[in-house]
Amino acid sequence: QLQASGGGLVQAGGSLRLSCAVSGSIFRTNDMDWYRQDPGNQRELVAIITNGGSTDYADSVKGRFTISRDNAKNTVYLQMNSLKPEDTAVYYCNVNVKTSPIRVATDYWGKGTLVTVSS
């Protein structure tokens, strides 16, 4: 189960921090990602962090957003700075989880959290 939190309303130029905690039977979490989707558009990948800590970002958020993870807490974060109105969207976390040594890893999605940036 994934629980995302931290969304809300913020003025342009402001900051928000999203969190997504994984609970349940966990052997290992692999890639942890953040996606976003606004009405009329496809869901897009915003940021990804591997189990080893390597990161990558969409060009639109590079230099403004930072993804991080706490493996002990099975939690992924998205620090969003210098927010722009075009960042307004529902943000979703996606985590690749291996629930036991013998099971294939599976992607799990959290319920979205709405981020609204006013101009």
Side-chain angles (χ1 to χ4, degrees), residues 30-63:
N30 297 316
D31 290 355
M32 306 178 91
D33 317 321
W34 286 98
Y35 286 75
R36 67 185 180 187
Q37 186 172 22
D38 57 11
N41 289 319
Q42 291 185 332
R43 193 171 294 190
E44 65 168 342
L45 178 62
V46 175
I48 180 172
I49 184 166
T50 68
N51 182 271
S54 297
T55 60
D56 201 5
Y57 299 90
D59 287 343
S60 58
V61 306
K62 280 182 181 177

Side-chain angles (χ1 to χ4, degrees), residues 14-91:
S15 298
L16 283 174
R17 188 191 195 206
L18 306 183
S19 301
C20 179
V22 185
S23 61
S25 177
I26 303 168
F27 173 70
R28 185 179 68 241
T29 55
N30 297 316
D31 290 355
M32 306 178 91
D33 317 321
W34 286 98
Y35 286 75
R36 67 185 180 187
Q37 186 172 22
D38 57 11
N41 289 319
Q42 291 185 332
R43 193 171 294 190
E44 65 168 342
L45 178 62
V46 175
I48 180 172
I49 184 166
T50 68
N51 182 271
S54 297
T55 60
D56 201 5
Y57 299 90
D59 287 343
S60 58
V61 306
K62 280 182 181 177
R64 300 188 297 120
F65 290 11
T66 302
I67 189 171
S68 60
R69 63 190 288 166
D70 184 333
N71 289 333
K73 296 181 179 179
N74 292 310
T75 300
V76 60
Y77 305 95
L78 186 67
Q79 178 66 43
M80 305 184 293
N81 299 328
S82 303
L83 281 161
K84 304 175 181 180
E86 51 263 44
D87 294 319
T88 295
V90 178
Y91 284 70

